[in-house]
Amino acid sequence: MGSMFRSEEVALVQLFLPTAAAYTCVSRLGELGLVEFRDLNASVSAFQRRFVVDVRRCEELEKTFTFLQEEVRRAGLVLPTPEGRLPAPPPRDLLRIQEETERLAQELRDVRGNQQALRVQLHQLQLHAAVLGQGHGPQLAAAHTYGASERTPLLQAPGGPHQDLRVNFVAGAVEPHKAPALERLLWRACRGFLIASFRELEQPLEHPVTGEPATWMTFLISYWGEQIGQKIRKITDCFHCHVFPFLEQEEARHVALQQLQQQSQELREVLGETERFLSQVLGRVQQLLPPAQGQVRKMKAVYLALNQCSVSTTHKCLIAEAWCATRDLPALQEALRDSSTEEGVSAVAHRIPSRDMPPTLIRTNRFTASFQGIVDAYGVGRYQEVNPAPYTIITFPFLFAVMFGDVGHGLLMFLFALAMVLAENRPAVKAAQNEIWQTFFGGRYLLLLMGLFSVYTGFIYNECFSRASSIFPSGWSVAAMANQSGWSDAFLAQHTMLTLDPNVTGVFLGPYPFGIDPIWSLAANHLSFLNSFKMKMSVILGVVHMAFGVVLGVFNHMHFGQRHRLLLETLPELTFLLGLFGYLVFLVIYKWLRVSATRAASAPSILIHFINMFLFSHSPTNQPLYPRQEVVQAMLVVLALAMVPVLLLGTPLHLLRRHRRRLRTPTGRKQEDKAGLLGLPDSSVNGWGSDEEKAGGLEAEQEAELVPSEVFMHQAIHTIEFCLGCVSNTASYLRLWALSLAHAQLSEVLWAMVMRMGLGLGREVGVAAVALVPIFAAFAVMTVAILLVMEGLSAFLHALRLHWVEFQNKFYSGTGYKLSPFTFAAADD
């Protein structure tokens, strides 16, 4: 839990990697995932770096891998998952992988090309056979002479003037949607000097490219004259028609059809052999591609990391800078030593000072990852800043449960999350690609605690699907009231609603052992009672939560050496918050403990007292809760207001005073002159000078170059934000009260409108059983959809807002950045 309380200590290390062992060392670091490399060649373009040629070779290989992967997916196959974690291959293996991959890619291209050509040829043979077998019938070309009229016969008598002209035929196939336009254009272009017959194929043919069934329209055109024939051929070419030779004699067509069928059969056999060979090639691709992809990705990552290194003046080693957790430095040294011993020269790593703020590293596990994700969604914490995640593990599910308190609904959420937790190691559950499912699965432990806490608060509220349960005997006795009040039959007949008086002896036997007494669910003022109880409870929880956030800021000030902030910021903030709103909590608890049932009618109003506290007045009709209450309230308001100038001026004046004192000392002048000569901030000449500089926050910048106007402006913003935020944030916690009442009333409405109506449909067992099945199904669906999903999401978002705005802004800046180590974990996945 130490690493969860605040981020781990991270150091900047400098690595001296021998040129011969640099690749091996970086590859080993990628397997371990210990360091985050810094780019020492930021001013050098990507095309001018040392290993750009190797990176390009890897990228070319990745393009080939993409082609092979698409071919495997096109064939309907799945690439297997590589077994184990393969290390990054040595550079000499890149040529072998490249040769094998290119040979397979070229072989696959050739086989695919042959398969496509065979399919196209088979398709042409099938179309030709379909045209010959369609049975258009023999046709003769229309005869036409110059000056012909409608009375000119279509066929000339033997021995006429055109007896030497021969009727020609054009046969082919066209897509169905083009046939009408083709027929119209032929008729208009040839002026009707042709006879065309169009017929649709009875059975669709497989498309050679897409493989989907496609219908075709066959046609047979008879004409005479060479000019008309040229027009017909040009038109059919424009429509991308498949034109085939057509024989006039039926016997010749029959022979040609048999030859086409025989050629098709032979072509199918060749195509089958080609596809079998293609499957063999794809099998080899399946074996080669998964491990090769992972290895080339790792190799490319290594070269990209090496491109971030600078070259020594002797060109014998590469120099790299990286962030590394302090606890991982021994493992880093051992990894470098083991990776470079084979080359005869050992790699070296040592810590160096840095002026930059280190990255934030917080290690998580399956349980804490979702809670840390909630905090990081607001902003990654600054280096060594207090981490809110450990406290969020408790406070977030609890505040959610305050708004979602119901035993039944919480139990359903708990069981759903428990099922995901128990099945978290199953491959099918992890491999699910549904985005909504991945969201729920990633937050399964958060849902588990949210459901568990909702069950707890549901017992406190005594609600299970909006119904109260009598786990213990009620603390109220109706019999004592009936015996001592003299209720007669006539009185009971006239009064449908009865009131229990706790002042009557024996009516109130004592508080309910756990939660709210179930008798309140029968009371007419049930909503008024819960309204008062939950509203005051929300204020108490809110003030405690905010005060806890201010207290956590103490750990930041102590860790960063900013002890002056304890007196100038933390103490005034706690005084302001507790002096006003902590006093309000005191009034609520004091009234609960001191005001009894006998004084309930004349009990003073806390709200009126709190308003009078700020107005420095009193109400004659509102009696004080304790003696000299007005004096205490006036003192608290004055004390709280006196903290505002302390917050506004305390820290800036202290910083200015300390800055002037440092300038008067000879050490301070010398350090400042040295910083000015180097063009660096004076507080960073010797690396990390203090814990404040380690934080990388505003304090180091102020020490380096203090601008009074900026310091006062920053502190004024902080003061106004805190003082006004105490008022608005306290009111914001009333959403706990509002959402809790809304959830309870929505559950009550759903029960009354669905289940109660269903239970009252009929008294016969058979009728009730048949009617309750669809009614209970509707009740279950609406419970899950409305109360669990919609209301649960609403309560989740409001709890998220309370943590981000009301709690974390008291001590958490969230202006850091994560440590992103160089690792091969993504390539392995």
Side-chain angles (χ1 to χ4, degrees), residues 81 257 363 451 819:
T81 304
L257 185 59
R363 304 179 197 266
L819 177 71

Side-chain angles (χ1 to χ4, degrees), residues 287-529:
Q287 295 178 357
L288 173 68
L289 193 56
Q293 277 183 314
Q295 288 182 316
V296 172
R297 278 198 209 102
K298 292 182 178 181
M299 186 178 292
K300 179 183 176 182
V302 171
Y303 284 127
L304 289 175
L306 290 174
N307 273 337
Q308 296 179 346
C309 305
S310 62
V311 185
S312 64
T313 55
T314 59
H315 295 274
K316 292 183 179 180
C317 69
L318 298 179
I319 302 174
E321 291 183 4
W323 296 108
C324 179
T326 306
R327 58 181 288 190
D328 294 333
L329 288 178
L332 173 63
Q333 294 280 9
E334 184 180 358
L336 292 177
R337 183 173 58 254
D338 295 342
S339 302
S340 57
T341 51
E342 297 181 359
E343 305 298 334
V345 183
S346 178
V348 179
H350 64 89
R351 297 181 61 171
I352 59 174
S354 174
R355 297 185 296 110
D356 299 332
M357 182 178 66
T360 301
L361 173 61
I362 299 177
R363 304 179 197 266
T364 59
N365 51 33
R366 293 180 179 180
F367 179 75
T368 59
S370 56
F371 298 96
Q372 188 64 49
I374 290 176
V375 175
D376 292 342
Y378 173 80
V380 179
R382 287 191 299 122
Y383 176 65
Q384 294 276 292
E385 188 178 28
V386 171
N387 182 26
Y391 318 104
T392 305
I393 295 176
I394 300 300
T395 58
F396 188 91
F398 178 72
L399 292 183
F400 171 85
V402 170
M403 297 179 279
F404 197 75
D406 191 285
V407 175
H409 301 155
L411 186 60
L412 291 177
M413 182 179 293
F414 173 79
L415 293 177
F416 173 67
L418 183 63
M420 289 191 293
V421 170
L422 296 178
E424 63 182 1
N425 293 324
R426 296 183 181 179
V429 176
K430 292 182 179 180
Q433 298 297 324
N434 187 279
E435 187 175 355
I436 297 179
W437 169 258
Q438 289 179 349
T439 303
F440 282 122
F441 185 75
R444 58 193 180 277
Y445 288 101
L446 176 61
L447 290 174
L448 188 74
L449 290 187
M450 286 162 54
L452 190 62
F453 277 69
S454 297
V455 172
Y456 169 75
T457 54
F459 279 115
I460 295 293
Y461 298 155
N462 201 352
E463 290 184 2
C464 181
F465 296 110
S466 76
R467 301 293 91 195
S469 57
S470 298
I471 304 176
F472 305 101
S474 175
W476 295 79
S477 175
V478 181
M481 191 73 186
N483 294 332
Q484 300 184 29
S485 62
W487 287 344
S488 61
D489 295 339
F491 179 83
L492 295 176
Q494 294 177 0
H495 298 80
T496 57
M497 304 297 294
L498 302 176
T499 302
L500 297 180
D501 188 359
N503 294 318
V504 176
T505 306
V507 173
F508 183 67
L509 304 178
Y512 195 66
F514 185 79
I516 295 177
D517 199 308
I519 199 172
W520 283 105
S521 63
L522 306 175
N525 59 342
H526 172 62
L527 186 60
S528 301
F529 168 73

Side-chain angles (χ1 to χ4, degrees), residues 8-20:
E8 295 187 25
E9 184 180 355
V10 177
L12 182 64
V13 294
Q14 192 173 41
L15 309 178
F16 292 91
L17 308 175
T19 305

Side-chain angles (χ1 to χ4, degrees), residues 655-672:
L655 294 177
L656 288 173
R657 178 172 171 271
R658 190 172 66 176
H659 184 68
R660 290 171 182 172
R661 185 191 308 165
R662 292 178 68 251
L663 292 179
R664 293 194 193 101
T665 60
T667 307
R669 291 196 190 98
K670 182 178 180 181
Q671 188 174 7
E672 185 175 1

